[in-house]
Amino acid sequence: MFHKLFSMLDKTIGFEQAKAHCDVPCGIYDPIIPQIAALTVVRMIDLMTELEGKGGSHDMAYHNSMSRYVLVKEEHAEKVKQEVRVIWGDYLKPMHIEKYPKAHELVHKIMSLGSKSRQTTDREAAVQMVEALNEFAQIFWETKNVPTKRAKAPYAPGLELVYPNL
Amino acid sequence: MLQILRVSGISLSPAFNEGDFVLAVKIPFVISGLRPGDVIVFRHPEFGTLIKRVDHLSPGGEEVFVVGTQENSVDSRQFGLINIKDVTGKVIWHIRKPGG
């Protein structure tokens, strides 16, 4: 009861924070980085499909563009894995895992989908990775008591992302 | 003399968790009577307003060694003793976040 009352007052007045931080208290973690990286992977697969679909000769220009798409896909799939590992290892604490027991399984799923997105051009796997990251973002923001919303990213491939509703 | 603060971070968990509230009192005789185990709020020039537990005081009682309960807590083990003048309150009431 008191906590509810104080929460309401906090929203109105805004109490000062007393930080009980660990490590260097920079505290800057945001799942939007891997979410955007995962969208980039989907976008690269779309561009690769589009280029291949154009037909024509596989000349230098084709190889140049295709190589660049593959490179960006590789980099961003790896970025997904790296960023999620940091949040998982540095931010998520036992108390969070206790509340979200599927978090470990979810992180493992993201790692697997990240690897598959590097190894293949499976668009469905990349889309699944975006969705798994949405799930991850949902948990992340819930641990911070920040409400979320789902909205289409305002750029291709225009998939839905979970955003903090600030 | 009284201040309500919202706890962020988990260096004092499981006793104090993210989203809890505390009521801190700053009355000179309360501050001068700090004892090991008390939870205090203080200002740090680099880290801002922090909440930690008193581990011990210097012999003259002018400096305080503060700790968190988590091993990677940022506290006196890292930044040394804090001056008693920087203590802005002693926690006298802890309002836990439900389910926290």
Side-chain angles (χ1 to χ4, degrees), chain A residues 3 10 16 19-20 23 145, chain B residues 6 8 11 49 72 74 97:
Chain A
H3 191 276
D10 188 27
E16 188 180 349
K19 291 174 273 190
D23 290 321
N145 295 317
Chain B
R6 180 169 20 86
S8 71
S11 77
T49 302
N72 55 348
V74 175
K97 184 180 168 185

Side-chain angles (χ1 to χ4, degrees), chain A residues 2-3 6-7 9-10 14-25 91 93 95-96 99 142-143 145, chain B residues 3-11 19 21 43 47 49-52 72-74 93 95-98:
Chain A
F2 282 117
H3 191 276
F6 278 66
S7 292
L9 287 170
D10 188 27
F15 296 134
E16 188 180 349
Q17 268 190 45
K19 291 174 273 190
H21 279 303
C22 292
D23 290 321
V24 177
Y91 172 75
K93 304 294 181 196
M95 56 188 265
H96 298 135
K99 194 168 178 187
E142 276 182 23
T143 65
N145 295 317
Chain B
Q3 190 183 15
I4 300 165
L5 300 110
R6 180 169 20 86
V7 177
S8 71
I10 58 159
S11 77
F21 292 101
R43 296 199 192 285
F47 301 124
T49 302
L50 298 177
I51 178 169
K52 300 286 172 186
N72 55 348
S73 161
V74 175
W93 190 25
I95 302 101
R96 288 175 186 277
K97 184 180 168 185

Side-chain angles (χ1 to χ4, degrees), chain A residues 125-140:
Chain A
V127 171
Q128 279 177 27
M129 182 164 69
V130 172
E131 202 43 53
L133 281 156
N134 280 340
E135 230 180 297
F136 186 72
Q138 182 75 40
I139 290 174
F140 175 84

